[in-house]
Amino acid sequence: MFTPDRERAIALLHKHNQSESLRSHALAVEAALKYIARQWGEDEIYWAEVGLLHDLDYEKFPEEHLAHAPDMLREAGYDEGFIRAVLCHGWSICTDVKPESKMERALYAVDELCGLITAAAYMRPSKSVMDMEVSSVKKKFKDKRFAAGVDRQIILNGCEMLGITLEGLTELAIMGMRENAEAIGL
């Protein structure tokens, strides 16, 4: 059973990820999922902690991403439902665990979307999400050369699975990232 403990999650994130950019990304996904969960009447603490730890093994095992995360999470006391949720964000890339719940689908889409929003924020004079508009992100979304590592099809697939427009999910993610903009560095 999941017992929320953000301090434990932060300590685990820091233990396995020294990169400030990976830590910032984890905080961005955490913030976006927390906000989305709140808007949709879901468990924002659970969603946030999954977002925080979704890339736990990436720094140490980039070529084997999500192959080591289950053991790392089990060792830290996370249950199988939590682990499954983390694995879902790699569906069709590095896992065969298809997102089924609303939270799993949101993580699947928001992971890539937060990367795009972050890259777009860095291009703004303010270097911030505080003045970011959905239209700015959508414009960057259409430019396949911009943040070329962001898989736009994953975002679109996630939106379709969630039954939400790209604009709607982008607005939710931006609003969530704004709530934690200082910690994210945006």
Side-chain angles (χ1 to χ4, degrees):
M1 184 170 158
F2 173 74
T3 304
D5 186 343
R6 188 171 188 277
E7 287 183 27
R8 170 186 67 163
I10 289 287
L12 187 62
L13 175 69
H14 287 210
K15 175 181 176 184
H16 295 289
N17 290 275
Q18 304 306 307
S19 163
E20 284 304 319
S21 65
L22 285 175
R23 289 177 179 183
S24 292
H25 174 68
L27 293 170
V29 175
E30 173 196 32
L33 284 180
K34 183 176 184 177
Y35 183 85
I36 292 167
R38 187 178 325 124
Q39 299 309 304
W40 292 352
E42 301 290 340
D43 184 345
E44 64 185 86
I45 303 303
Y46 183 77
W47 284 40
E49 204 158 317
V50 169
L52 187 62
L53 296 176
H54 78 283
D55 278 342
L56 187 62
D57 69 356
Y58 187 79
E59 183 174 88
K60 291 182 179 177
F61 306 103
E63 299 301 319
E64 299 173 354
H65 182 38
L66 296 176
H68 301 272
D71 289 337
M72 296 162 97
L73 291 165
R74 280 186 199 103
E75 184 179 306
Y78 288 91
D79 64 32
E80 294 304 312
F82 190 98
I83 293 165
R84 181 191 175 357
V86 166
L87 291 174
C88 285
H89 89 275
W91 178 56
S92 77
I93 304 162
C94 55
T95 76
D96 60 358
V97 183
K98 184 177 181 179
E100 293 176 359
S101 72
K102 196 182 286 189
M103 189 272 300
E104 291 169 351
R105 292 171 179 175
L107 173 61
Y108 176 71
V110 165
D111 177 34
E112 293 291 309
L113 184 55
C114 283
L116 183 67
I117 293 168
T118 298
Y122 285 141
M123 298 303 294
R124 301 181 69 72
S126 66
K127 307 241 186 281
S128 175
V129 292
M130 298 309 288
D131 59 354
M132 177 72 67
E133 297 295 330
V134 171
S135 59
S136 298
V137 176
K138 191 171 179 187
K139 183 177 178 182
K140 298 294 187 189
F141 184 92
K142 291 178 182 178
D143 180 357
K144 292 184 180 16
R145 294 170 298 162
F146 179 79
V150 172
D151 190 329
R152 282 126 168 102
Q153 193 57 52
I154 288 175
I155 299 169
L156 293 173
N157 291 346
C159 288
E160 185 178 330
M161 287 189 287
L162 289 165
I164 190 171
T165 63
L166 173 62
E167 295 82 3
L169 189 62
T170 301
E171 181 175 357
L172 290 169
I174 290 170
M175 297 304 290
M177 290 172 71
R178 283 182 183 168
E179 288 188 351
N180 207 19
E182 188 176 332
I184 296 168
L186 299 174

